[in-house]
Amino acid sequence: MPEKKHYIFRSGELFIQNDNTLPVEVPHEFEKWISDSIDLNLFGTEAHVTLLDSDGTKQTIIPDASWVRLRSIFAAPESALLAMASSSARALGIINWHHATRFCSRCGASLVDSTTEVARICPSCKAIIYPRLSPAIIVAVEKDGKVLLARHSQRNQDMFSCLAGFLEHGETLEECVAREVYEEVHLELQNIRYAGSQSWPFPDQFMIAFRADWKAGDIRVDPTELLEAQWFDKDHLPNTPMPGTVAWKLIHDVFAPMSKK
Ligand SMILES: [Zn+2]
């Protein structure tokens, strides 16, 4: 039987060997920092996933290996690491869920792992709890060759990004796009169209990307959500999210055809 692959994480970082392969075991130096672990099938490959306490491992140096941010794996299309992107995202999303899902939300009993599927089971009331995904839309709104970008009031205040928000019960993805944009900047949209998706296990998001055209209205921001929002053209882009993020790809896609001209 082939050896199990070991996916070892600490807060969004994956531990890999310097030859870009996964370790075949958890280094013993890490053992006292293990927060959680689980055996998983990752798209047909048996794997063992370990979550470490982040602060504890900061001082621990392992020869010929290092920590890589999962976001940088997403951002490395030419790299050998990209082959790990999907399996790493699945591994991280599930270990995040597993670590945060210890007690039954119906009766409060301690949960145990299912032996037949990726789920946790309540031995008391028999509830079955599956890994949670939180779907969220992100949208690049376009007008006259410019893209709408905003600075958020709660996070990454030094950066302009696309508008985004969580899907609510009862709405379609397109309705969610229209609602989020209207709530945050009071613009109406047309031609809302799908532009891709990406697993985003920080801790459990699934991003569904859209492009849309401005239809009506002037920008008027909701100050509880945004500090400011503006239209930007290709030559005057502000500080935007890093490659590997959904937002970067969306912004890049808006301007890519123009830059080829
Ligand atoms: Zn229960």
Side-chain angles (χ1 to χ4, degrees):
M1 225 173 86
E3 281 174 318
K4 276 188 180 174
K5 294 196 170 175
H6 279 262
Y7 290 78
I8 305 168
F9 293 102
R10 67 175 190 197
S11 70
E13 292 182 313
L14 177 67
F15 184 75
I16 60 167
Q17 301 178 121
N18 287 352
D19 62 359
N20 287 337
T21 59
L22 294 164
V24 296
E25 60 184 5
V26 178
H28 67 86
E29 293 92 333
F30 286 159
E31 277 169 11
K32 64 180 171 180
W33 305 114
I34 294 175
S35 301
D36 200 359
S37 66
I38 186 173
D39 287 313
L40 272 185
N41 185 294
L42 296 175
F43 306 113
T45 302
E46 294 302 319
H48 187 77
V49 185
T50 304
L51 183 66
L52 300 180
D53 175 78
S54 195
D55 291 337
T57 57
K58 286 279 192 265
Q59 305 301 325
T60 309
I61 306 295
I62 307 289
D64 302 320
S66 60
W67 292 95
V68 178
R69 288 194 67 72
L70 191 53
R71 292 167 196 229
S72 70
I73 295 177
F74 292 153
E78 307 302 325
S79 159
L81 294 176
L82 188 69
M84 294 183 196
S86 294
S87 55
S88 301
R90 176 170 167 80
L92 178 59
I94 291 176
I95 195 75
N96 282 342
W97 160 80
H98 190 266
H99 189 53
T101 310
R102 297 164 55 204
F103 301 100
C104 178
S105 55
R106 281 192 199 156
C107 76
S110 291
L111 299 173
V112 297
D113 289 333
S114 167
T115 56
T116 57
E117 57 184 345
V118 182
R120 307 205 84 188
I121 294 172
C122 176
S124 176
C125 76
K126 310 302 178 198
I128 303 174
I129 295 101
Y130 291 98
R132 187 177 72 177
L133 277 174
S134 299
I137 64 89
I138 181 166
V139 57
V141 181
E142 300 161 56
K143 181 189 181 190
D144 301 333
K146 296 182 178 182
V147 66
L148 178 71
L149 300 174
R151 282 202 300 139
H152 285 262
S153 51
Q154 303 297 329
R155 59 182 190 274
N156 300 331
Q157 293 185 351
D158 59 336
M159 181 182 290
F160 281 82
S161 187
C162 301
L163 297 184
F166 288 104
L167 181 70
E168 294 189 354
H169 281 283
E171 63 185 1
T172 66
L173 292 168
E174 291 82 359
E175 288 168 343
C176 178
V177 170
R179 174 184 55 75
E180 283 289 345
V181 170
Y182 192 79
E183 283 177 0
E184 294 192 3
V185 293
H186 295 90
L187 298 181
E188 292 177 46
L189 303 181
Q190 59 189 351
N191 201 15
I192 298 170
R193 57 216 188 263
Y194 176 73
S197 65
Q198 186 173 43
S199 180
W200 199 244
F202 306 104
D204 61 9
Q205 289 181 43
F206 181 75
M207 305 299 299
I208 306 113
F210 289 85
R211 292 171 65 177
D213 297 328
W214 172 88
K215 181 181 177 188
D218 295 317
I219 295 171
R220 187 158 50 85
V221 302
D222 172 0
T224 62
E225 297 257 5
L226 302 178
L227 293 173
E228 61 174 316
Q230 293 181 40
W231 300 105
F232 291 95
D233 65 37
K234 177 169 68 80
D235 297 322
H236 301 89
L237 282 176
N239 186 27
T240 58
M242 305 273 285
T245 61
V246 189
W248 182 89
K249 184 171 186 308
L250 266 179
I251 296 166
H252 183 83
D253 286 351
V254 167
F255 292 122
M258 294 165 68
S259 59
K260 281 182 196 152
K261 281 179 187 169

